[in-house]
Amino acid sequence: MQPLPTSRWVGPAGMVFLFWLLNATLYPLLLPLWDGVDEPFHYAYAQHIATEGRWPVLGQTPISKEIDLSLRLAPASYVIRHNLPYVMTFGEFHALPAAARQARREDIKTIDPGWRTLPDPNSLNYEAQQPPLAYLLPAAIDYGAARLPLVRRVLLARLAVSLAGGALQFWLTLLLASELGLSLAWQPYVRFLVTSSQMLYATVSRVANDWLAVPLGTLFFLAALRFHRQPGVRQAVILGLAVAAGLLSKAYFLPWALLAVVLVLWSWLRRGAQLRAVLAAAAAMALAGPWYLRNVVLYGSFSGLQQSASGTGLSDTVRAALSIPWPATIWASTRGAVWTGNNSFTSFSAATIDLFLLLCLLAGACWLLTRGQAARPSAEWLVAAGLGVFFAALLYANSLFVAHGSANPHVSTPWYAQPLAAPCACLACLGMSRVPRAGRWLAPALAALCTYLICATYFLKLIPLYAGFTARVSPASLLRWWWSDPAGCFATLGDTILGDVHVVAVLACAVALAAPAAAVAVCRAAVRSLLREGPHAADSLSSPSLPGTLRPAGPL
């Protein structure tokens, strides 16, 4: 057998890694205090663990006085004012004189860290029902850095979860692509697709439980595929632990837990898997059982969701589902899953996002039309089944939110969809790699659009937003605004964001250089493989002796 030409792809892989690292460091620094979705209440959950040493309880556990005061001082989006009417919006903050802005920023920095232990009984934590696993890391940081100002602790926690969650997602995406038989030439490309998503960083770079839930979603697909390929005790335990860890991070793993149960039972009844493998998987999954039993005892709801705990039942959810205009809702939610401007919920150009989704649909169509070429079709169908189950769960969640009282039928929780990014990207790349005529132009077009989206995220959207730009975004209007008072824009940005403005500027410029370089490198590798090897370049499982292909991945 010929050796794998791994050295040929070190360049693209290394460039994508650098590109991810720059983004994973930049995004937590650029995000203003509490502009991550629900971030103050997620941080309050971690802080409660650090100060009280026990889990919070929905409807009983308040946030701390430290966090409450910071909410009153820090600027926030107009969306947040609907829930917290006392906050100052970004527009109001940016309209203040420079001295007043700097004074508020200093007031936030000088909040007494001792207030982290004092509860504010007037502000209950509406995220207190969340599973606990992902909060242990920020809780450890809040405990270990208790004497530091709040802004320093939040920044440290953000950097920790952004780098840890992003690194896990980067590595697990590689393993999943390998397990699905994607060739070495395409593996840097699929990681570029995943790590060029603004919503990846908006989801994992804030203090919440999503930083762990997103990579655990990728781990679930990987573990399910490996158990499907080799249904032994070892893989059963890994699958069970992946499900348990997911359930202890986010309740949206419940539908995947049911899929895992079906997979294990089917492997036992139809494929001759040993009973001990079934029992091993069940024992591992059962590790999440005590938490969900606690939900039943405390809230009368197995999932512990706020809506279910408050009495919204299945019949209410079904009635709400029948009233929702689903085509418009699904399209709006899909757009939001591609790009959403943090807690401000700003959007990107609809035409640009629609073009991105069209390219993704074409890549998906390539996969669907060539599924018969797969060496292990059942593995790819298992991934599709996992995507379908989770998509149905998202529709149910949307119906539940509407039944609970949301006035907007297009309820968008775009961070919920992020665990689907890696498996979707893998199927898209399999499709492009099997249809050379389409892949030769689809791959560069998709990579170019991803490059534009991530660069525009910083230079056309978030940096202007946090520096006080309020007009309609266009290159000409941005240039006029910036050159009219560059020092003032820079100062306003520095007063708003959490990190040092000079570091943010350097990192943003580095991303602008790294993004196109990584895109060119991954496209060159992928397209050359199509020109050299033809339509079956991705089917490494069926042709293990071809240069540039991968054998099935080994044990996790």
Side-chain angles (χ1 to χ4, degrees), residues 188-211:
Y189 187 94
V190 73
R191 282 180 284 174
F192 178 76
L193 288 186
V194 172
T195 58
S196 61
S197 166
Q198 175 267 343
M199 274 306 298
L200 170 67
Y201 303 104
T203 302
V204 306
S205 295
R206 76 192 205 280
V207 180
N209 49 2
D210 300 271
W211 74 269

Side-chain angles (χ1 to χ4, degrees), residues 18-89:
L18 176 62
F19 167 71
W20 159 75
L21 186 61
L22 290 169
N23 281 285
T25 306
L26 169 59
Y27 211 95
L29 297 172
L30 177 61
L31 198 62
L33 182 65
W34 306 143
D35 200 43
V37 176
D38 297 322
E39 189 176 33
F41 298 91
H42 285 293
Y43 191 87
Y45 187 122
Q47 191 174 73
H48 182 80
I49 297 174
T51 57
E52 300 296 328
R54 60 178 184 269
W55 312 130
V57 177
L58 184 65
Q60 298 180 20
T61 302
I63 66 176
S64 69
K65 286 191 174 182
E66 179 186 50
I67 293 176
D68 180 72
L69 180 56
S70 69
L71 283 168
R72 297 175 185 276
L73 292 172
S77 77
Y78 72 94
V79 178
I80 303 307
R81 177 170 278 182
H82 295 315
N83 296 326
L84 303 175
Y86 53 79
V87 302
M88 174 178 283
T89 66

Side-chain angles (χ1 to χ4, degrees), residues 509-520:
C509 292
V511 168
L513 295 174
V520 169

Side-chain angles (χ1 to χ4, degrees), residues 318-329:
V318 172
R319 282 194 297 271
L322 296 176
S323 69
I324 295 174
W326 284 114
T329 297

Side-chain angles (χ1 to χ4, degrees), residues 117-144:
T117 63
L118 302 178
D120 179 16
N122 297 319
S123 301
L124 294 178
N125 189 350
Y126 61 77
E127 296 290 356
Q129 85 289 347
Q130 297 286 352
L133 185 59
Y135 296 100
L136 298 181
L137 176 57
I141 292 172
D142 186 81
Y143 179 83

Side-chain angles (χ1 to χ4, degrees), residues 158-172:
R158 277 186 185 174
L159 288 170
V161 299
S162 179
L163 293 171
L168 284 172
Q169 181 72 336
F170 191 88
W171 175 56
L172 290 169

Side-chain angles (χ1 to χ4, degrees), residues 31 46 60 93 110 165 170 185 203 220 225 256 262 268 317 331 349 368 396 428 539 549 551:
L31 198 62
Q60 298 180 20
F93 178 77
T110 55
F170 191 88
T203 302
F220 167 77
L225 289 174
W256 278 339
V262 171
W268 177 44
T317 305
W331 193 248
S349 162
L368 195 61
Y396 173 82
D539 293 337
T549 59
R551 295 182 61 84

